[in-house]
Amino acid sequence: DPSLWERLREADPQKICRNALVEYDVEQEAYVVPFLSSEYLCIPKERAILPVKEEPCTKPDFEFHLVMLHYLLEAKPLEFSGRWISEKDLPSGESFFRGPHSFPVDSLLQLFDSHIELFSQASEILLGREVDFGDAAYQFWVLPRIPILAILWQGDDEFEPSLHILFDDSISSQLKTLDTLWALVNL
């Protein structure tokens, strides 16, 4: 949406930096935004988001732009609470996050179900920090004010394997719409 770029271009960089915990490069007129294990330059005057270094883990596509712009415009200077919630605990989340808006975890489950060490290696590449949940779990700082928790449960004779994505309960203050949160998980 061009209006998001315009709002960001007109915004006070100091306020954006304080709210989103990002830096501003005055020479390039760009926000320096950490995303998982990479950094990106968000350049409002050019309507561009570029990786700081070659070969980032996430390619800047439509969903990436959507998440990045909404985050920079909506983030609030709130502390991480450490209280984890699922998407179903968000207002209207139970009805929104189903069908086409279910989190895309099936391919990850097929890959990681019997290979927890691979889940751990991939998580550590993305700067995940191991935590004590499920059969394996990692906390990621996707954006500076947005941690997520990925919990892997291996399948057995009684239960199907599962991968749960949880959010700090401040997530609704950092990203205001459920479709933006869905895009974040897709990334």
Side-chain angles (χ1 to χ4, degrees):
D1 183 345
S3 69
L4 294 174
W5 284 109
E6 190 61 28
R7 285 177 47 210
L8 188 57
R9 193 177 65 73
E10 293 175 356
D12 174 10
Q14 288 182 336
K15 181 179 179 186
I16 296 290
C17 290
R18 181 179 57 253
N19 288 351
L21 284 181
V22 298
E23 295 179 13
Y24 188 73
D25 183 318
V26 176
E27 288 181 25
Q28 297 186 70
E29 297 181 52
Y31 295 96
V32 182
V33 185
F35 186 90
L36 290 171
S37 59
S38 300
E39 282 189 323
Y40 294 84
L41 291 176
C42 181
I43 311 165
K45 71 178 182 177
E46 295 178 16
R47 295 184 179 185
I49 299 176
L50 307 170
V52 171
K53 295 180 182 172
E54 293 294 318
E55 300 188 42
C57 293
T58 302
K59 302 293 183 202
D61 62 5
F62 171 78
E63 286 183 330
F64 187 80
H65 281 79
L66 178 76
V67 169
M68 189 71 67
L69 293 172
H70 277 278
Y71 174 73
L72 289 171
L73 291 166
E74 297 170 4
K76 302 282 184 274
L78 302 173
E79 294 298 317
F80 170 58
S81 77
R83 187 173 148 264
W84 297 103
I85 61 171
S86 80
E87 72 276 16
K88 309 286 191 213
D89 297 320
L90 297 166
S92 302
E94 193 161 350
S95 60
F96 181 84
F97 292 108
R98 46 171 76 183
H101 290 121
S102 295
F103 289 156
V105 297
D106 291 341
S107 60
L108 294 174
L109 277 173
Q110 289 175 359
L111 181 63
F112 296 134
D113 175 36
S114 58
H115 303 286
I116 284 188
E117 69 285 346
L118 188 58
F119 175 73
S120 296
Q121 289 171 1
S123 297
E124 289 168 9
I125 288 170
L126 297 174
L127 302 182
R129 181 179 59 88
E130 188 172 14
V131 293
D132 192 23
F133 290 102
D135 291 318
Y138 283 81
Q139 177 186 321
F140 303 90
W141 286 96
V142 181
L143 287 157
R145 292 204 185 270
I146 300 182
I148 65 168
L149 183 63
I151 305 172
L152 177 66
W153 293 93
Q154 288 187 297
D156 60 22
D157 293 339
E158 294 182 47
F159 299 101
E160 293 289 319
S162 63
L163 179 62
H164 299 277
I165 307 295
L166 300 179
F167 309 94
D168 185 72
D169 68 356
S170 66
I171 189 66
S172 295
S173 298
Q174 307 302 348
L175 293 175
K176 295 187 185 217
T177 63
L178 297 179
D179 59 335
T180 305
L181 182 58
W182 179 71
L184 175 84
V185 173
N186 287 339
L187 294 170

